[in-house]
Amino acid sequence: MENSFLFLIVTLACVVNVTCKLNKKQSAECELPENLMKEIDSYAPVVKTIVEAAVNGTYKGATWQELAYFVDKFGSRISGSKALEDSIDYVLERSHKLKLDNVHGETVKVPNWIRGKESASLMKPRVKHLAMLGLGYSVGTPPEGITAKAIVVKSFAELKQRAAEVPGCIVVYNQKFVSYNETVQYRSHGASEAAKLGAVAVLIRSVTPFSLYTPHTGMMSYASNVKQIPAACITVEDAALLNRIADRGDDLQINIKMEAKNYPDVESRNIISEVTGTVLPEKVVVVSGHIDSWDVGQGAMDDGGGAFISWNALILLRKLGLQARRTIRSIMWTCEELGIVGATQYIRSHKSEESNLQLVMESDMGTFTPLGLEVTGTELVKCILQRVLRLLKPMGELGIRSPHGGPDIEEWVNSGVPGASLWNKNDRYFWYHHTNADTIAVESPHALDKGTALFAAVSYVIADLSIDLPHHGKKSHSKHPIYHQ
């Protein structure tokens, strides 16, 4: 199957003959050339070995154990922090110890935003502490804080309608949660929209469908030529409370204190480790997740789990003695949370290698029970991946849907590289997202085992196939707020 003539025939047959239909779950039901189906199906024994080892065998629970030790030892790992750099040193040392190949860190300049002490208090009509978390890149307040009248709005439209009331006030957004992509706009742009009308600060209802009095942080941005004002999120409960008080006609007065400050950029590193290919080592399948987190909780779900199923997929393959024709590369991205900084710098500095990328994979939307893969690529790519997922049937019915959902691999995918992200049962993801509740308690050992098995099996088969996956046409760059914020 390494014969170049067979390689060409199989590739051409695939491109000409492949047909795909989508079922209600958007999983591709494909007809591939007989020789390609047989080749993929021939990997059934090795995939069974991978799944058995990860889910039921000697490697059962290993990903959870590695992740639990890691987050317990280092805690949250925000860009610019000592905790992040110490955690990177640890993974590099551990990767060497576990005998992965080409282990190294690649330097990246990253932002250094520090939260400092912060508080918010309702002063009138009664005194009450308001749980809050400042937003990344927000400016701080004067040392004494900002004390001002507050108005509550439920939308940007209402803000504009009440523009005459805004000057000198703190704007509280009590927007309804519709979806993360839609509702996150209030967190991202709420400060500048209010500042345009003369607001002195904003408090934004946390972007979540469910709350147990947990404020959620995240990244925000300032519009150019607009005054930068302090911005923080408060709980769903307190936003609703303030709205009720205002609706009754009582005046609101709030005090906000924030020490938040942006400091000069510092150095961090993306973490690279590999299982080198035996025949085509220059060709690469990437598995990835980001190692940084927000400065609250443990960053176990966002994105410790994704980073560790990717990294542990290589460790599992190494322990099983499985080495594909092509290289399988694990990347733990740095500084995703403050703007996808690590991935952007890495992808641009490795532009010359782009044509050698077989498939790029990422997990950054939770590591709950796997449902399959989210894929962007040609119909051939989707059909091949669907066929590979059939080999993992002992883990349940796994399918594919489109498009991919990976923030760090986005630039690659927009350039035409096939991309896939973990599709998992993550209905509760935004309950914990960017909060103190993002701890190892959210993670299931069994789900992590399945995620590791899926990434290990798919990356191995795709890296070992006799054909290169075709690249698709370049896409216009489309920012997904869910990922970029």
Side-chain angles (χ1 to χ4, degrees):
M1 289 191 288
E2 292 162 12
N3 182 276
S4 59
F5 178 75
L6 175 60
F7 183 101
L8 177 61
I9 293 299
V10 171
T11 302
L12 290 174
C14 290
V15 172
V16 172
N17 296 330
V18 63
T19 61
C20 297
K21 297 180 180 179
L22 299 179
N23 64 20
K24 291 181 180 179
K25 291 185 178 180
Q26 291 184 284
S27 296
E29 295 175 347
C30 301
E31 295 179 9
L32 292 167
E34 188 69 23
N35 52 356
L36 182 56
M37 287 193 292
K38 285 183 178 180
E39 182 186 359
I40 294 170
D41 292 349
S42 72
Y43 288 96
V46 71
V47 170
K48 181 179 179 181
T49 297
I50 290 169
V51 173
E52 186 63 25
V55 177
N56 300 309
T58 56
Y59 207 70
K60 180 179 180 180
T63 302
W64 188 93
Q65 291 290 348
E66 289 273 9
L67 178 60
Y69 179 84
F70 176 81
V71 298
D72 288 348
K73 182 176 179 64
F74 298 106
S76 61
R77 306 167 302 282
I78 193 168
S79 170
S81 67
K82 184 176 185 298
L84 175 60
E85 297 314 303
D86 288 347
S87 74
I88 291 170
D89 287 338
Y90 167 82
V91 173
L92 288 169
E93 182 180 352
R94 187 105 177 98
S95 299
H96 281 294
K97 185 175 181 180
L98 292 166
K99 302 188 184 311
L100 297 179
D101 303 326
N102 193 25
V103 175
H104 65 282
E106 296 196 12
T107 302
V108 179
K109 282 284 189 179
V110 299
N112 185 22
W113 176 83
I114 297 178
R115 177 184 305 281
K117 294 179 182 179
E118 58 186 14
S119 66
S121 300
L122 176 64
M123 308 303 291
K124 293 179 181 179
R126 68 180 176 92
V127 176
K128 181 189 183 302
H129 169 72
L130 304 173
M132 57 88 84
L133 284 173
L135 298 179
Y137 289 127
S138 175
V139 296
T141 66
E144 68 277 12
I146 294 173
T147 301
K149 180 180 177 179
I151 67 167
V152 183
V153 299
K154 293 182 178 178
S155 65
F156 287 135
E158 184 182 352
L159 176 71
K160 292 178 181 179
Q161 290 168 4
R162 299 175 63 186
E165 302 174 55
V166 175
C169 286
I170 295 170
V171 169
V172 177
Y173 289 99
N174 183 33
Q175 77 284 346
K176 179 181 178 182
F177 182 88
V178 180
S179 68
Y180 192 82
N181 276 3
E182 182 172 336
T183 311
V184 78
Q185 301 302 324
Y186 287 88
R187 194 190 74 205
S188 303
H189 309 300
S192 289
E193 291 303 308
K196 290 175 185 177
L197 302 176
V200 294
V202 293
L203 293 174
I204 302 155
R205 172 175 166 153
S206 289
V207 184
T208 178
F210 177 79
S211 178
L212 287 174
Y213 203 68
T214 46
H216 296 232
T217 188
M219 178 180 149
M220 54 87 68
S221 59
Y222 290 112
S224 58
N225 301 318
V226 177
K227 183 180 178 181
Q228 298 185 358
I229 62 175
C233 275
I234 57 175
T235 67
V236 169
E237 294 89 340
D238 279 343
L241 168 67
L242 296 173
N243 208 150
R244 291 195 302 273
I245 293 173
D247 284 348
R248 295 184 186 116
D250 291 329
D251 287 339
L252 297 170
Q253 186 183 71
I254 293 174
N255 172 266
I256 303 172
K257 292 181 181 179
M258 295 173 60
E259 292 181 346
K261 187 174 180 180
N262 291 288
Y263 293 87
D265 289 355
V266 295
E267 287 189 352
S268 186
R269 292 153 291 170
N270 292 310
I271 305 172
I272 318 301
S273 53
E274 297 178 343
V275 173
T276 305
T278 58
V279 178
L280 299 165
E282 73 284 358
K283 294 184 179 290
V284 178
V285 171
V286 170
V287 289
S288 68
H290 67 85
I291 190 171
D292 67 304
S293 74
W294 280 102
D295 56 341
V296 293
Q298 291 184 309
M301 182 191 73
D302 183 19
D303 183 35
F308 271 64
I309 68 165
S310 301
W311 182 57
N312 275 278
L314 267 67
I315 296 168
L316 175 60
L317 293 173
R318 177 64 86 209
K319 289 190 174 183
L320 293 174
L322 295 172
Q323 194 170 1
R325 293 185 179 95
R326 298 172 189 81
T327 295
I328 303 174
R329 178 180 299 160
S330 165
I331 305 178
M332 285 193 183
W333 309 106
T334 193
C335 195
E336 186 273 347
E337 295 293 2
L338 282 166
I340 316 186
V341 178
T344 299
Q345 292 189 36
Y346 180 91
I347 291 170
R348 292 177 184 178
S349 67
H350 288 262
K351 189 71 178 176
S352 62
E353 301 172 19
E354 207 165 85
S355 62
N356 281 327
L357 293 174
Q358 171 89 334
L359 176 69
V360 292
M361 300 172 66
E362 181 177 2
S363 173
D364 188 17
M365 275 289 288
T367 41
F368 301 92
T369 301
L371 299 174
L373 293 171
E374 297 173 327
V375 180
T376 296
T378 65
E379 294 305 308
L380 173 60
V381 168
K382 295 174 186 176
C383 291
I384 289 173
L385 288 171
Q386 180 65 72
R387 190 78 184 188
V388 173
L389 289 178
R390 289 178 54 178
L391 305 178
L392 287 95
K393 198 165 185 178
M395 289 185 6
E397 293 290 338
L398 302 176
I400 68 167
R401 66 179 185 180
S402 294
H404 82 289
D408 286 305
I409 62 173
E410 177 85 356
E411 189 165 328
W412 268 331
V413 176
N414 285 340
S415 294
V417 181
S421 53
L422 180 67
W423 176 18
N424 66 110
K425 194 174 182 181
N426 60 356
D427 301 358
R428 295 175 293 135
Y429 181 76
F430 291 111
W431 295 14
Y432 308 102
H433 184 247
H434 297 180
T435 74
N436 277 304
D438 181 0
T439 71
I440 193 63
V442 179
E443 296 290 340
S444 158
H446 190 54
L448 287 170
D449 288 342
K450 286 186 170 183
T452 302
L454 191 157
F455 267 38
V458 171
S459 63
Y460 177 80
V461 174
I462 296 301
D464 203 58
L465 280 177
S466 63
I467 68 166
D468 285 341
L469 299 191
H471 287 202
H472 50 266
K474 289 186 177 182
K475 297 179 178 291
S476 60
H477 186 71
S478 58
K479 289 187 177 180
H480 299 299
I482 185 172
Y483 302 119
H484 288 254
Q485 305 293 339

